[in-house]
Amino acid sequence: LSMLAYVPLRADDLCVQYLSELDFTNQDEFPYAWFRPYASWSTLPDVILCVGPAVGIRQWRHVLDYAMGASFECFRDRDFLRQIVFHFWGKAGPSDAQASSAVPVPMLVQAPISISFSPGEQRAFERFLQILSEHKVDLLVFEGDVNPVLHSPERLMARTQTRADLMDRLAHRGFRYVSNEQQNLSLGVDFWHDMTHLNAAGRERLTQCMAQEILGRDQRGAKDGVNFRN
């Protein structure tokens, strides 16, 4: 929602998202570091409305930082410059093979046990769906996954609740949801770079699945006389 000012929305376009329970649970109440690089006064009011007045008051310093980013290009650029500097002078991360074997244990210890949903994220997603509908943009949502090392009864329960909520919201607006079972990717531990990011083999498998789903959508649209622009 916060970056829509930089995403052109045209009728018959297709938007593809990969969403898991991690996107709606245990989030910072005002993740300004994500907002600021794409800050714009055209989307700032929606973002503030979704997080709610209580959060806005508690996080007034970060709200001000966000507003400064929306007002001045140089205030946003420092985030990208930091990434460029780190790319050339930062310490290189582990390879996929090293990360898949070395990262899970310590990260599992740090993983939150108590899982709580973030109302602001849910309100933002509903507003995002409304905007897509207004612009006649189609939406295809793939159910996201995490490294199996993170699976727990609490997290699987949150996944079930997230799936039910997304399916209900998407069906109400005529959008499509592709569950993990439908994807049938079998992304075991060997397909993950860390707890939440796929390695090269995992990304290849997911990309093939997405491409097949989009191709099938276009073929179904052609039979119905609908021309999609992807």
Side-chain angles (χ1 to χ4, degrees):
L1 180 64
S2 64
M3 66 186 301
L4 274 181
Y6 302 92
V7 180
L9 298 177
R10 302 169 298 180
D12 296 329
D13 273 353
L14 172 65
C15 175
V16 178
Q17 289 191 314
Y18 187 73
L19 299 174
S20 75
E21 69 279 2
L22 285 181
D23 296 296
F24 299 95
T25 58
N26 295 75
Q27 298 288 328
D28 294 338
E29 61 178 8
F30 193 81
Y32 69 99
W34 288 99
F35 294 156
R36 188 177 56 221
Y38 307 100
S40 167
W41 280 106
S42 65
T43 54
L44 186 146
D46 275 338
V47 171
I48 300 300
L49 186 63
C50 287
V51 299
V55 173
I57 292 172
R58 284 196 299 272
Q59 301 285 339
W60 67 270
R61 290 184 178 86
H62 292 157
V63 172
L64 179 60
D65 182 80
Y66 181 32
M68 291 288 288
S71 303
F72 302 104
E73 180 87 25
C74 60
F75 214 76
R76 297 193 302 272
D77 287 346
R78 77 184 199 273
D79 293 285
F80 296 103
L81 289 174
R82 185 182 299 115
Q83 294 297 323
I84 294 173
V85 170
F86 181 82
H87 177 75
F88 287 103
W89 287 283
K91 183 179 179 181
S95 65
D96 286 342
Q98 292 172 326
S100 62
S101 60
V103 174
V105 174
M107 289 202 64
L108 180 60
V109 174
Q110 298 173 11
I113 298 175
S114 177
I115 296 178
S116 59
F117 283 88
S118 304
E121 298 288 346
Q122 295 172 323
R123 288 192 292 266
F125 184 68
E126 183 60 34
R127 175 60 180 146
F128 177 71
L129 295 181
Q130 180 183 352
I131 292 174
L132 291 187
S133 296
E134 291 171 353
H135 287 81
K136 295 179 171 41
V137 174
D138 197 12
L139 177 64
L140 177 61
V141 174
F142 288 81
E143 182 178 16
D145 205 352
V146 296
N147 193 313
V149 176
L150 274 182
H151 289 176
S152 67
E154 294 80 9
R155 185 167 298 283
L156 293 177
M157 183 179 299
R159 171 175 296 184
T160 300
Q161 295 177 19
T162 299
R163 176 188 295 183
D165 180 65
L166 289 179
M167 291 181 68
D168 182 65
R169 293 175 188 269
L170 295 173
H172 177 70
R173 297 184 181 275
F175 296 143
R176 178 163 168 74
Y177 182 80
V178 185
S179 67
N180 284 330
E181 288 76 14
Q182 291 171 303
Q183 296 172 38
N184 193 29
L185 296 179
S186 302
L187 297 173
V189 175
D190 293 340
F191 288 94
W192 294 87
H193 175 71
D194 53 28
M195 292 296 94
T196 58
H197 297 89
L198 293 165
N199 59 24
R203 292 193 299 270
E204 179 180 5
R205 186 170 288 195
L206 176 62
T207 301
Q208 289 176 345
C209 174
M210 288 182 168
Q212 291 172 358
E213 184 63 34
I214 293 172
L215 179 60
R217 166 187 174 274
D218 289 347
Q219 292 174 343
R220 291 191 297 271
K223 288 182 180 180
D224 297 334
V226 178
N227 292 321
F228 294 110
R229 181 176 63 235
N230 295 328

PDB file of all heavy atoms in Angstrom, residues 63 83 130 156 169 206 209:
ATOM      1  N   VAL A  63       6.418   8.707  12.421  1.00  0.00           N
ATOM      2  CA  VAL A  63       5.456   9.291  11.483  1.00  0.00           C
ATOM      3  C   VAL A  63       6.043  10.558  10.863  1.00  0.00           C
ATOM      4  O   VAL A  63       5.918  10.802   9.655  1.00  0.00           O
ATOM      5  CB  VAL A  63       4.121   9.603  12.188  1.00  0.00           C
ATOM      6  CG1 VAL A  63       3.195  10.399  11.264  1.00  0.00           C
ATOM      7  CG2 VAL A  63       3.430   8.318  12.635  1.00  0.00           C
ATOM      8  N   GLN A  83      22.182   1.064   0.942  1.00  0.00           N
ATOM      9  CA  GLN A  83      22.258  -0.260   0.318  1.00  0.00           C
ATOM     10  C   GLN A  83      23.418  -0.341  -0.665  1.00  0.00           C
ATOM     11  O   GLN A  83      24.103  -1.368  -0.764  1.00  0.00           O
ATOM     12  CB  GLN A  83      20.933  -0.567  -0.397  1.00  0.00           C
ATOM     13  CG  GLN A  83      19.736  -0.730   0.525  1.00  0.00           C
ATOM     14  CD  GLN A  83      19.898  -1.909   1.454  1.00  0.00           C
ATOM     15  OE1 GLN A  83      20.439  -2.947   1.074  1.00  0.00           O
ATOM     16  NE2 GLN A  83      19.445  -1.758   2.688  1.00  0.00           N
ATOM     17  N   GLN A 130      -9.200  -2.838  -2.341  1.00  0.00           N
ATOM     18  CA  GLN A 130     -10.167  -1.844  -2.806  1.00  0.00           C
ATOM     19  C   GLN A 130      -9.586  -1.007  -3.940  1.00  0.00           C
ATOM     20  O   GLN A 130     -10.264  -0.758  -4.953  1.00  0.00           O
ATOM     21  CB  GLN A 130     -10.579  -0.940  -1.646  1.00  0.00           C
ATOM     22  CG  GLN A 130     -11.595   0.130  -2.016  1.00  0.00           C
ATOM     23  CD  GLN A 130     -11.916   1.060  -0.856  1.00  0.00           C
ATOM     24  OE1 GLN A 130     -11.506   0.831   0.280  1.00  0.00           O
ATOM     25  NE2 GLN A 130     -12.632   2.125  -1.149  1.00  0.00           N
ATOM     26  N   LEU A 156       1.233 -22.892  12.612  1.00  0.00           N
ATOM     27  CA  LEU A 156       0.320 -23.564  11.688  1.00  0.00           C
ATOM     28  C   LEU A 156      -1.118 -23.118  11.914  1.00  0.00           C
ATOM     29  O   LEU A 156      -1.905 -23.008  10.973  1.00  0.00           O
ATOM     30  CB  LEU A 156       0.449 -25.079  11.839  1.00  0.00           C
ATOM     31  CG  LEU A 156       1.795 -25.670  11.394  1.00  0.00           C
ATOM     32  CD1 LEU A 156       1.846 -27.168  11.663  1.00  0.00           C
ATOM     33  CD2 LEU A 156       2.046 -25.393   9.910  1.00  0.00           C
ATOM     34  N   ARG A 169     -11.527 -12.726   1.692  1.00  0.00           N
ATOM     35  CA  ARG A 169     -11.386 -11.380   1.132  1.00  0.00           C
ATOM     36  C   ARG A 169     -11.245 -11.418  -0.387  1.00  0.00           C
ATOM     37  O   ARG A 169     -11.834 -10.602  -1.111  1.00  0.00           O
ATOM     38  CB  ARG A 169     -10.173 -10.679   1.745  1.00  0.00           C
ATOM     39  CG  ARG A 169     -10.294 -10.351   3.231  1.00  0.00           C
ATOM     40  CD  ARG A 169      -8.989  -9.765   3.746  1.00  0.00           C
ATOM     41  NE  ARG A 169      -8.975  -9.606   5.187  1.00  0.00           N
ATOM     42  CZ  ARG A 169      -9.356  -8.519   5.842  1.00  0.00           C
ATOM     43  NH1 ARG A 169      -9.793  -7.475   5.143  1.00  0.00           N
ATOM     44  NH2 ARG A 169      -9.301  -8.446   7.160  1.00  0.00           N
ATOM     45  N   LEU A 206       9.489 -22.131  -7.439  1.00  0.00           N
ATOM     46  CA  LEU A 206       8.350 -21.232  -7.232  1.00  0.00           C
ATOM     47  C   LEU A 206       8.043 -20.440  -8.499  1.00  0.00           C
ATOM     48  O   LEU A 206       6.871 -20.262  -8.861  1.00  0.00           O
ATOM     49  CB  LEU A 206       8.647 -20.282  -6.073  1.00  0.00           C
ATOM     50  CG  LEU A 206       7.583 -19.216  -5.796  1.00  0.00           C
ATOM     51  CD1 LEU A 206       6.253 -19.862  -5.415  1.00  0.00           C
ATOM     52  CD2 LEU A 206       8.039 -18.263  -4.695  1.00  0.00           C
ATOM     53  N   CYS A 209       6.125 -22.474 -10.957  1.00  0.00           N
ATOM     54  CA  CYS A 209       4.739 -22.617 -10.524  1.00  0.00           C
ATOM     55  C   CYS A 209       3.929 -21.367 -10.853  1.00  0.00           C
ATOM     56  O   CYS A 209       2.811 -21.447 -11.362  1.00  0.00           O
ATOM     57  CB  CYS A 209       4.695 -22.896  -9.022  1.00  0.00           C
ATOM     58  SG  CYS A 209       3.041 -22.944  -8.297  1.00  0.00           S
TER      59      CYS A 209
END
